[in-house]
């Protein structure tokens, strides 16, 4: 049953007009790069790989996983359960032979699939354009494809954490708009207000952008500019995975405890 829920939810997400607008927004850095990249003086797979690491990391830190990307993920994930609760269709869903845990995890996985498409498409378009630009051919595509997958994995991990928080708040608030605003307010306070208190050393490490750099540094070894990001990638991964699991468990608890009047 979870497979049916997942597939129908993915179809709903991908067909939504709002999703197409979000995808266009995520493609914006790639379009800008088409017209503003520097003149190519060196061709081949190695030059492509170095350029791809530099461009991708800069776009991820400054845009894709910056404020805009975070807001997009929160808006997308806030709607998954809150829309069902607000419209009252959650009662119909609960009458079907499906566990509440399957509802939570099925909805979350569908949202993560939407995020994978929203960010995976721009990453892939950027890679393919780079292959053509650097005349790297199949060798260049192969050399950078694992980096596309790694960048997407980092994106899913970090934005998945914000998404899980948004799903949790959507059960508490029960309205997509309020859930989005609440989640973004918490994220904003955690990243930009609390670090300003005089109790923290290196407060920039509390921002999602900084952790993007920490994770990319462990794989994008040709991009020397990432050396400024100090941290332990393994601990970062464990923290965000733990945060996702905790948020989903609290969401499930909220579903069990919440009453849905007729």
């Amino acid at each position: 049953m979870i497979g049916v829920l997942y597939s129908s939810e993915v179809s709903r997400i991908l067909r939504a007009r709002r999703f197409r607008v979000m995808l266009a927004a995520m493609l914006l850095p790639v379009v800008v790069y088409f017209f503003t990249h520097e003149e190519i003086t060196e061709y081949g797979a190695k030059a492509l790989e170095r350029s791809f690491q530099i461009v991708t990391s800069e776009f991820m830190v400054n845009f894709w996983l910056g404020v805009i990307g975070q807001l997009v993920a929160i808006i997308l994930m806030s709607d998954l359960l809150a829309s069902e609760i607000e419209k009252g269709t959650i009662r119909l869903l609960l009458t079907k032979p499906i566990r509440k845990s399957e509802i939570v995890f099925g909805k979350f996985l569908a949202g993560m699939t939407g995020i994978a498409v929203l960010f995976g498409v721009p990453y892939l378009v950027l890679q393919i354009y780079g292959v053509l630009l650097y005349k790297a051919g199949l060798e260049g595509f192969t050399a950078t494809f694992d980096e596309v997958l790694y960048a997407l994995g980092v994106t899913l991990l970090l934005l998945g954490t914000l998404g899980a928080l948004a799903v949790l708040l959507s059960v508490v608030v029960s309205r997509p708009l309020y859930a989005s605003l609440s989640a973004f307010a918490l994220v904003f306070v955690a990243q930009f207000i609390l670090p300003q208190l005089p109790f923290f050393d290196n407060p920039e490490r509390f921002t999602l952008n900084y952790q993007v750099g920490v994770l990319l540094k462990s794989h994008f070894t040709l991009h020397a500019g990432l050396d400024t990001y100090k941290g332990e990638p393994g601990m970062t991964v464990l923290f965000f995975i733990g945060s996702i699991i905790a948020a989903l468990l609290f969401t499930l608890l909220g579903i069990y405890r919440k009453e849905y009047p007729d």
Side-chain angles (χ1 to χ4, degrees):
M1 191 65 184
I2 187 174
V4 176
L5 173 67
Y6 167 80
S7 60
S8 63
E9 191 67 21
V10 169
S11 177
R12 183 184 71 84
I13 290 172
L14 298 183
R15 285 187 289 104
R17 179 180 302 175
R18 177 176 59 183
F19 183 85
R20 293 193 289 271
V21 173
M22 291 178 177
L23 181 58
M26 293 302 99
L27 282 167
L28 183 60
V30 182
V31 175
V32 172
Y33 179 71
F34 287 168
F35 300 100
T36 60
H37 63 76
E38 297 179 355
E39 183 180 356
I40 308 303
T41 58
E42 180 183 357
Y43 295 93
K46 199 67 175 180
L48 166 63
E49 191 174 4
R50 186 183 304 110
S51 172
F52 183 79
Q53 289 186 9
I54 294 172
V55 173
T56 302
S57 59
E58 289 178 353
F59 285 165
M60 288 180 69
V61 170
N62 298 319
F63 186 88
W64 281 323
L65 276 80
V67 174
I68 300 299
Q70 295 174 31
L71 183 59
V72 164
I74 287 173
I75 291 174
L76 177 65
M77 301 296 279
S78 295
D79 185 65
L80 297 176
L81 284 172
S83 60
E84 301 276 9
I85 297 173
E86 183 180 37
K87 296 175 183 176
T89 53
I90 186 69
R91 295 192 300 271
L92 177 61
L93 193 59
L94 292 174
T95 61
K96 297 182 179 297
I98 183 172
R99 298 185 181 91
K100 293 179 178 179
S101 59
E102 293 178 328
I103 295 176
V104 172
F105 289 105
K107 291 271 190 178
F108 178 75
L109 291 176
M112 292 300 290
T113 301
I115 291 177
V117 174
L118 277 177
F119 292 86
V121 169
Y123 295 172
L124 191 59
V125 171
L126 181 63
Q127 182 211 15
I128 294 174
Y129 181 72
V131 170
L132 298 175
L133 191 64
Y134 284 85
K135 303 177 182 178
L138 182 60
E139 181 185 0
F141 182 85
T142 304
T144 53
F145 187 67
D146 66 322
E147 295 173 350
V148 172
L149 294 179
Y150 186 80
L152 184 58
V154 170
T155 301
L156 291 176
L157 175 65
L158 301 187
L159 294 186
T161 305
L162 301 188
L165 173 64
V167 170
L168 170 59
L169 290 175
S170 71
V171 173
V172 176
V173 179
S174 302
R175 293 193 176 184
L177 176 60
Y178 295 161
S180 298
L181 292 175
S182 300
F184 190 71
L186 283 177
V187 170
F188 182 84
V189 169
Q191 293 189 91
F192 302 109
I193 303 299
L194 291 181
Q196 301 304 316
L197 299 176
F199 310 115
F200 303 104
D201 296 324
N202 303 319
E204 67 276 1
R205 73 183 190 275
F206 292 101
T207 65
L208 204 69
N209 312 62
Y210 191 88
Q211 295 306 318
V212 173
V214 170
L215 292 176
L216 290 181
K217 178 184 174 182
S218 66
H219 191 78
F220 283 13
T221 55
L222 298 179
H223 184 7
L226 293 172
D227 293 339
T228 56
Y229 295 97
K230 308 297 181 182
E232 178 54 50
M235 293 300 296
T236 299
V237 170
L238 288 177
F239 171 80
F240 282 103
I241 289 178
S243 298
I244 291 173
I245 294 173
L248 292 179
L249 290 178
F250 279 113
T251 301
L252 182 58
L253 179 62
I255 290 288
Y256 273 105
R257 294 177 62 88
K258 195 174 185 68
E259 295 182 0
Y260 307 100
D262 297 329

